Amino acid sequence: MSDVIAAMRMFDAAALRARIDMPKAIHALQSALRSGFDPDDDPPRSIVDVRHGQLLLMPADLGRYAGQKLATVAPTNPARGLERIQAIYVVLDAETLTPIALLDGTELTSLRTPAMSAAMLDLVAEPDAKSLVVFGTGPQGVRHVEAMRAIRPIERVRFVGRDRAKALQAAARCEASGLDVAVGTADDVADADLVVCATTAREPLFDADLVRDRTALVAVGSHERDVRELPGALLGRSQVIVETDRVARTEAGDVIMAFDEGHLSPGEVVPMARIATGAVEVARDRPRIVKTCGMGWQDLAVAQAAIDDADGGA
C-alpha cells in the first residue's frame, strides 16, 4: 500500500451519517453560497457514456479542500437491488492537492441532493408550508421528505410513482415519524405547498394548471438536455432558480426545453447564489421552481463539513 493511501482517512456510509446530518448539510450549502463563492467558478463535470450507463467526473475547489467525485449512473441497477447512482469521493488538501480522505460517495450524494433542495426551498418556500407531494419512490424521494421536514413544519406527504408497490414502501418508511403519509396521484399537486420531483421521467409529471402561486417546487431528476419533469408552461409563469446560467443552458432539460418552446428566456432564470445573498428578491406572487442538476462544489461543501466535524469543528 502506498504512503498516500495509507495516510488517507476513510469515511464509510455509517461514519458519514454519524458526523453530518441533514440540518448540518443544509447549513453547509447555504454557508457556501453566502460566503462569496460563485458556483460559476466550479469546474465543469464530465459525463461519459459507457455501455450500461454513464460515468460522471465532478471536480471542485472550495475553501481548505479540493475534491473529486467519480459517480456512476446505471439505469438497470434498481431491478438488481442496487442503487441507480453510486460513487466514491476523494478529498484533497487545496494547497498541496494531497489526497487526505476517501468518502462513500453514494451516501454523500444521497445526503447532498436533498440537502441542496432544502437549502434553496428554505429561502423561497412559504414559512407555513405543511403539505408535500413527492414524485419518486426511491431513496431520493424518501430522503427529500427528511430534508423538507428539516426546513418546514410538514404534516402531510403524498408519494406519487409509477409502481404502486414501491410507492407504498416509500410511504411506509415515513409513517413511523407520525406524518400523514399515503400514496397519492398527480392531482394532489393542487393542494401542495411543496412539490419534489425526483424521478427518471422524461416528460412532465403533471399539468401546469394544478400548481398554486404559493407553491415551491424542486426538480432533481435529470442532468440531460432532452429530459424533464416539469411542463414548460409552468416554468413560464414561475420564478425559475438554477445552479448557474451555464448549467441551466447545458444540462437542465426542464429549462432548456422551456427556452426552446418560448415559455422562458435565458435572462429570466436566477442563479441560486443571487437568491442566497439577497441580490434578487424571492417572487412570492407566483410559483418558485428550483432546478438542480448537481455540481461538484455541493458534494465538497458537505464533505468538508463532515471532515471538520470529525476534527472537532476545525
Side-chain angles (χ1 to χ4, degrees), residues 204-215:
L205 296 163
F206 50 86
D207 191 285
D209 292 338
L210 288 172
V211 179
R212 297 180 296 171
D213 287 344
R214 69 173 269 119
T215 303

Side-chain angles (χ1 to χ4, degrees), residues 59 188 204 270:
D188 287 307
V270 182

Side-chain angles (χ1 to χ4, degrees), residues 243-296:
E243 285 154 315
T244 71
D245 288 329
R246 167 173 55 86
V247 172
R249 292 192 311 268
T250 59
E251 297 184 19
D254 299 79
V255 177
I256 292 167
M257 284 188 271
F259 289 161
D260 292 344
E261 293 165 353
H263 295 295
L264 191 67
S265 66
E268 293 176 306
V269 300
V270 182
M272 57 173 58
R274 292 181 63 78
I275 293 288
T277 59
V280 173
E281 292 187 2
V282 177
R284 300 200 177 271
D285 60 340
R286 51 195 166 122
R288 283 126 280 158
I289 293 173
V290 177
K291 169 57 190 171
T292 68
C293 297
M295 297 183 72

